[in-house]
Amino acid sequence: MATFSPEPFRIKSIEPIAQSSAADREARLAEAGYNLFNLRAEDVYIDLLTDSGTGAMSANQWAGIMLGDESYAGARSFFHFQDAVRDIMGFEWVAPTHQGRGAENVLFSLMVKSGQVIPNNTHFDTTMGNILARGGNPTNHVIAEAHDPTNAHPFKGNMDVAALEAFIQKTGVENIPLGMTTITNNSGGGQPVSAENIRQTAEVYHRYGIPFFIDACRFAENAYFIKQREAGYQDKAIREIAREIFALADGCLMSAKKDALVNIGGFLALRDEALYRRVAQELTLREGFPTYGGLAGRDLEAMARGLYEGIAESYLAYRINHTRYLADSLVEAGVPVMQPPGGHAVYLDAKQIAGHIPAAQFPAQAVCAALYQQGGIRGVELGSMMFAHQHPETGAWIYPDLELVRLAIPRRVYTQAHLDYVVKIAKQVMDNRAQLRGYRMTYQTKFLRHFTARLAPIEG
Ligand code: F0G
């Protein structure tokens, strides 16, 4: 039986959300070309599109918003924020950016030259995009277990360290300006990376003289999984685990919209002063003066406070259990879910739900559309709509192995009753799956088509 532990907070401020009728939602869905990105958020009841920037801030953070120092240079809020990053992550040099991709843009513009290769366990879309934009080549080296939705490996985000080393030897260190690992591995299902694996990854990069950067969006959730699952970490504080991990790296990039519990913000944190000097110059050109980056003073204040709230043990126990509760409840209801559940999201296995719909007719999108139509729930398709690509010579479509629907969970936003409602609707979709129909695309762009595509249901 799935269990839900009580929240370590109570509700001080509420935001109304409204449920519409199924007929209304059918009309909105048709207007949106059956693509949930095209909906107005007001027409969504439970929004599980992303966990990024959608969390609820605490009273302490809102109080910090009022105390934000909006000075252009040397604001007090910057020093609060810098102190928090130094204390939790141990990096001396801290550069705020408007969000994670701002940090990617600044770092890669300085470090990546055309034709160079940047390995990772799995790059997130924007990381990949920012490397490609510099003419670089992002490569993924996650362990094979990551590709099997039924494999319950406890650290499915781990790097295949042997494959990484072989790749470095084959590619040549002169072609690898930096190496990365992403914690947790978002594109691989929010799966954690073990401390041992991060240590081995750092050791390989450093043996070849390659600077090592961590994509740290969900580092606190990752540290909590380490504490729960990895031998020798049970008695360590989350802050201690975080310090140990970051001590292995030369720097990190962070979208603070995840584990720093803010609605906007990010940063780059570095060990090397010379690199920081170059970053500061680039930052001034692209984001803002180095003590505010792309942010207001109030955002820096909220981020400083959020970083500490994000590593609080009681919060993380609630957070990870909240996600697990949704996954376990779905399994109990007979809805197939990728195992084990990650930190920030639950992934429905649409191949098992809508196996009768061929990849060319977007089975995971059919499940997304049904969740919205039947219950006002918005998830995101991670399947043939997002990942299918054409063979460069034959033009034939190549479809991904997995057809998933990501239900990402905003932090501190939805209650147990909301999650139970999601389970009820997902079960209804599952029980009536024979009625699900495929879609054909009526409009698409050449790149990132899933954001703006329009579809039409295939009748019959
Ligand atoms: N790296 C990872 C691992 C991410 O998950 C994200 C964002 C970014 C970098 C970019 O950060 O959005 O602040 O610019 N992930 C969001 C998501 C958008 O829905 O998974 P950003």
Side-chain angles (χ1 to χ4, degrees):
M1 186 66 188
T3 53
F4 192 95
S5 37
E7 289 88 348
F9 52 81
R10 59 183 175 180
I11 296 164
K12 198 185 202 66
S13 179
I14 61 102
E15 183 182 12
I17 46 174
Q19 240 175 320
S20 48
S21 67
D24 261 357
R25 289 192 297 266
E26 183 56 49
R28 300 292 89 76
L29 199 55
E31 283 163 16
Y34 298 88
N35 181 348
L36 306 191
F37 278 106
N38 294 334
L39 288 171
R40 283 175 180 248
E42 269 180 354
D43 294 327
V44 175
Y45 179 52
I46 306 281
D47 203 346
L48 306 180
L49 188 66
T50 179
D51 66 319
S52 182
T54 52
M57 289 207 294
S58 65
N60 179 46
Q61 285 177 293
W62 282 111
I65 293 273
M66 288 307 293
L67 293 170
D69 177 351
E70 305 300 342
S71 305
Y72 189 94
R76 182 180 60 241
S77 300
F78 168 75
F79 294 104
H80 291 166
F81 158 64
Q82 180 179 254
D83 286 349
V85 174
R86 285 180 174 170
D87 179 39
I88 295 167
M89 300 174 147
F91 296 115
E92 182 68 13
W93 302 99
V94 185
T97 57
H98 76 282
Q99 58 184 76
R101 65 199 74 179
E104 292 162 6
N105 182 27
V106 168
L107 185 73
F108 299 151
S109 71
L110 294 172
M111 294 190 78
V112 181
K113 293 196 179 58
S114 183
Q116 290 187 319
V117 177
I118 292 83
N120 203 332
N121 47 359
T122 315
H123 287 282
F124 179 68
D125 316 18
T126 59
T127 322
M128 201 163 77
N130 270 303
I131 293 169
L132 291 169
R134 300 284 157 195
N137 181 12
T139 61
N140 299 328
H141 308 271
V142 72
I143 55 171
E145 288 87 337
H147 304 295
D148 173 3
T150 60
N151 190 307
H153 192 293
F155 291 104
K156 244 174 152 175
N158 277 359
M159 184 83 80
D160 183 338
V161 182
L164 175 70
E165 181 159 15
F167 180 79
I168 292 171
Q169 286 174 354
K170 193 179 82 186
T171 309
V173 289
E174 66 283 6
N175 298 314
I176 307 179
L178 72 144
M180 297 179 70
T181 210
T182 302
I183 59 174
T184 58
N185 188 25
N186 181 14
S187 305
Q191 300 294 333
V193 182
S194 72
E196 179 58 23
N197 187 261
I198 300 172
R199 197 172 299 113
Q200 289 170 359
T201 301
E203 199 273 319
V204 167
Y205 283 136
H206 287 154
R207 189 144 37 83
Y208 291 90
I210 299 167
F212 171 38
F213 286 83
I214 294 178
D215 181 336
C217 299
R218 300 176 182 87
F219 79 95
E221 291 171 8
N222 200 97
Y224 189 77
F225 279 120
I226 288 174
K227 185 176 169 115
Q228 280 193 313
R229 297 181 183 174
E230 192 164 351
Y233 286 90
Q234 279 65 43
D235 298 327
K236 289 191 178 173
I238 297 299
R239 186 175 157 283
E240 218 180 325
I241 299 172
R243 282 296 285 259
E244 186 180 315
I245 288 167
F246 290 115
L248 298 163
D250 299 290
C252 78
L253 304 110
M254 169 120 181
S255 166
K257 297 168 77 170
K258 285 83 172 175
D259 279 358
L261 293 162
V262 287
N263 303 122
I264 193 74
F267 59 90
L268 198 55
L270 306 164
R271 217 172 283 296
D272 177 23
E273 182 176 353
L275 178 58
Y276 171 75
R277 296 288 161 216
R278 294 171 63 217
V279 162
Q281 193 179 326
E282 196 66 20
L283 203 68
T284 311
L285 270 177
R286 299 182 189 282
E287 293 277 317
F289 188 75
T291 60
Y292 73 84
L295 297 169
R298 66 182 83 104
D299 301 324
L300 296 166
E301 200 65 51
M303 209 157 55
R305 296 169 185 224
L307 275 165
Y308 283 105
E309 293 179 18
I311 59 166
E313 196 110 12
S314 57
Y315 157 73
L316 283 167
Y318 147 77
R319 167 71 175 160
I320 300 300
N321 178 259
H322 193 256
T323 305
R324 174 166 279 284
Y325 174 82
L326 177 59
D328 290 352
S329 305
L330 285 165
V331 170
E332 283 169 15
V335 181
V337 164
M338 185 167 155
Q339 291 297 336
H344 68 293
V346 171
Y347 295 72
L348 309 184
D349 187 349
K351 259 194 182 167
Q352 285 189 57
I353 303 171
H356 58 288
I357 300 177
Q361 296 178 11
F362 313 111
Q365 186 58 26
V367 175
C368 278
L371 286 170
Y372 177 72
Q373 201 276 326
Q374 295 181 33
I377 298 161
R378 176 157 71 168
V380 67
E381 192 259 15
L382 303 175
S384 44
M385 190 156 128
M386 191 181 277
F387 298 118
H389 56 279
Q390 279 175 297
H391 190 280
E393 274 133 42
T394 65
W397 282 98
I398 301 164
Y399 295 102
D401 292 340
L402 299 179
E403 291 285 348
L404 302 173
V405 174
R406 182 180 86 165
L407 304 178
I409 308 179
R411 293 166 179 78
R412 308 191 288 205
V413 170
Y414 292 117
T415 63
Q416 180 180 13
H418 288 131
L419 297 186
D420 288 343
Y421 171 82
V422 172
V423 174
K424 185 181 98 177
I425 300 300
K427 179 175 169 20
Q428 190 177 303
V429 171
M430 180 70 188
D431 290 346
N432 301 312
R433 61 190 178 280
Q435 291 166 15
L436 294 172
R437 292 285 170 267
Y439 286 84
R440 62 187 168 82
M441 223 171 249
T442 58
Y443 168 78
Q444 61 178 306
T445 53
K446 192 158 190 279
F447 298 107
L448 299 172
R449 65 176 180 173
H450 56 279
F451 287 123
T452 51
R454 297 186 68 84
L455 304 130
I458 294 172
E459 306 298 340

